[in-house]
Amino acid sequence: MRVGPALLGGAWCAGVLLAAATLRGAESPADPFAQLIEQNRRLQEEVRAQQQTIEQLAKKLGEVAATADRHERELHELEARREGPAEAPPSTQRENEVRIGAETGAAFFHTGSDGQFPKDEFRVDDPVITVEAPVAKEIYFFGELKLLTRETNVENFQLGELYVDLENMSARWGQPGLLSLRAGRINLPFGEEYLVRTPVANPLISHSLSDVWGCDEGVEIYGRLGPAHYVLAVQNGGTSRLHDFNADKAVVARVSWEPAAWLHLSGSAMRTGELATVADNLSEVWFANGFFRALGPANRAGTFWADLFEGDATARWKRGHASAALGEARFDDSDPLADDARRLHYGYVELVQEIADRLYGAARYSEIRAPRGYPLAGWGNAGRYFFSPLLTEELRRLSVGVGYRLADPVVLKFEYAWESGRLVGGGRRDNEDFLGSELAVKF
């Protein structure tokens, strides 16, 4: 059969149209295979992104855990250092806890012509070395070597405090804080000034006129009774460090309490006991830059003694404090031919106020009244006013100064003190004013 040209042309056109339709169907987005391929690609990208996020989170969680472990370990180490190694041998603990300290002042002193330092002296003031160490649980040793005390006139070492301290003995009986004990050579626990008379602790350079303090061999108990603290000491009483030449002992007591957080009060009493005029010579207690001594001659006054009473008060505020003391000393000796009994009244008022950061001002007024006279040295020449028969009836001192705390244990101080008095018979005591500067340090 013959096919005509018209029929062949129609078939060719129909093929072309069918091929075009087929191509258009392959490119259509409605193709299910193309959609699956696209979805698979997108899922793979999301999985990769999620995997990266998971890895970052895991890294951060690991860092947090490591930090927490480190903090916990450091906390345990701090607690262990605070409590101490529980199983460490006692000898190792003692070696680690022995403390050696020192304190002194580099000073310049000047007084008037009748004073102790009329030649403008540079001095090393009250240098001392201390050693403190635990011996056993709540048992401690303390020792103090005074290289050169301000009050001495000889260049040799002196023994300060040296004692064994049995702390909190009453805790064994279910009464913590009630009773502790010290035995050895101990400061006289009388008044409050002796606690702050060292170069760094003292806000001024001088002390009050009375300046009651001392260090003596004996035994002391201390502790707390309800709201009050107490100290009771029995000591030799005389200045000799080798023997006690009279069986009568010194007894010292102080009771203190704080009725408010800003207020401290205390009351003290002391008897020196009877002291041998020739052998003891002087009392251990320091008073008015001297000691108590017999007024009668040694061949008649074989013994002498003194009883002291004092009340102290300190009020504190944020940048300063005010302190005051009022006391009486009752002296007598055994001279049968003379009435050597004396009633000495003394006291002081002190004010310390911070002026600016590390800078403070201080002032102290003190006086002693001794009707019928007593040997009172003060800033005066000791040979003239203490060792001679010249007796003083009244002595007054006004001290003013400034201090700058270069650091907690380093203080630079300046002071001027006016001092005057009256002798038995009406003579005047003048030319004893004091000018001083001091750089005090402690470690």
Side-chain angles (χ1 to χ4, degrees), residues 60-342:
K60 290 181 179 180
L61 287 173
E63 293 175 353
V64 170
T67 302
D69 291 341
R70 185 174 67 255
H71 288 171
E72 185 175 1
R73 185 172 61 254
E74 291 174 352
L75 178 61
H76 289 324
E77 291 175 355
L78 288 172
E79 291 177 349
R81 285 199 294 269
R82 182 190 67 188
E83 297 172 357
E87 299 180 359
S91 59
T92 303
Q93 290 185 4
R94 286 200 298 271
E95 180 179 356
N96 291 339
E97 295 180 8
V98 170
R99 293 189 296 176
I100 298 176
E103 183 172 1
T104 190
F108 171 81
F109 290 171
H110 167 77
T111 62
S113 57
D114 289 338
Q116 295 183 22
F117 308 103
K119 303 299 183 182
D120 301 351
E121 300 183 21
F122 291 100
R123 295 177 61 87
V124 176
D125 187 36
D126 275 341
V128 61
I129 296 175
T130 61
V131 178
E132 183 177 7
V135 178
K137 183 178 179 180
E138 296 186 323
I139 301 177
Y140 300 89
F141 167 84
F142 179 81
E144 186 179 54
L145 181 62
K146 294 182 177 292
L147 305 181
L148 183 68
T149 59
R150 179 189 299 182
E151 295 80 13
T152 190
N153 58 358
V154 292
E155 291 184 304
N156 57 17
F157 298 163
Q158 296 184 21
L159 183 64
E161 285 194 292
L162 192 147
Y163 58 79
V164 177
D165 195 354
L166 308 180
E167 286 190 357
N168 204 18
M169 297 173 57
S170 59
R172 304 173 184 177
W173 319 320
Q175 298 290 332
L178 178 63
L179 177 66
S180 299
L181 181 143
R182 288 178 180 174
R185 182 168 169 82
I186 311 160
N187 283 331
L188 276 63
F190 184 89
E192 300 280 346
E193 185 177 5
Y194 82 95
L195 298 170
V196 291
R197 75 182 304 275
T198 59
V200 171
N202 183 14
L204 293 164
I205 300 172
S206 67
H207 310 111
S208 74
L209 274 170
S210 53
D211 188 24
V212 181
W213 76 284
C215 192
D216 198 4
E217 291 76 16
V219 62
E220 169 186 289
I221 60 174
Y222 64 95
R224 175 189 288 272
L225 284 171
H229 293 267
Y230 74 90
V231 185
L232 176 64
V234 179
Q235 298 169 284
N236 285 338
T239 56
S240 174
R241 298 174 181 82
L242 302 178
H243 297 283
D244 190 7
F245 298 96
N246 197 311
D248 196 16
K249 301 302 179 187
V251 180
V252 191
R254 182 178 72 239
V255 177
S256 61
W257 64 100
E258 295 184 353
W262 55 271
L263 181 62
H264 177 84
L265 305 173
S266 72
S268 304
M270 172 172 60
R271 66 184 300 270
T272 65
E274 291 191 3
L275 302 172
T277 301
V278 174
D280 286 318
N281 190 22
L282 302 170
S283 71
E284 186 65 78
V285 60
W286 183 261
F287 183 80
N289 221 22
F291 303 90
F292 288 105
R293 67 170 180 83
L295 292 180
N299 60 347
R300 296 203 314 257
T303 59
F304 66 96
W305 58 91
D307 299 328
L308 290 83
F309 309 90
E310 180 176 315
D312 290 79
T314 298
R316 298 187 180 277
W317 53 91
K318 184 176 181 180
R319 302 182 66 183
H321 74 263
S323 299
L326 189 63
E328 179 181 273
R330 301 175 181 178
F331 170 86
D332 205 352
D333 62 31
S334 60
D335 187 348
L337 302 181
D339 180 11
D340 292 333
R342 298 289 190 274

Side-chain angles (χ1 to χ4, degrees), residues 423-434:
L423 302 172
V424 172
R428 302 296 302 172
R429 284 185 59 168
D430 291 311
N431 302 316
E432 300 173 24
D433 291 357
F434 167 81

Side-chain angles (χ1 to χ4, degrees), residues 329-389:
R330 301 175 181 178
F331 170 86
D332 205 352
D333 62 31
S334 60
D335 187 348
L337 302 181
D339 180 11
D340 292 333
R342 298 289 190 274
R343 293 284 185 94
L344 290 70
H345 301 275
Y346 65 90
Y348 70 85
V349 178
E350 175 185 286
L351 177 65
V352 178
Q353 177 64 45
E354 185 177 344
I355 302 171
D357 184 35
R358 298 181 177 272
L359 179 67
Y360 69 88
R364 183 191 299 125
Y365 174 78
S366 57
E367 69 175 35
I368 301 175
R369 297 182 182 274
R372 298 172 56 211
Y374 196 78
L376 304 175
W379 275 124
N381 184 289
R384 176 177 173 83
Y385 296 115
F386 181 75
F387 292 106
S388 76

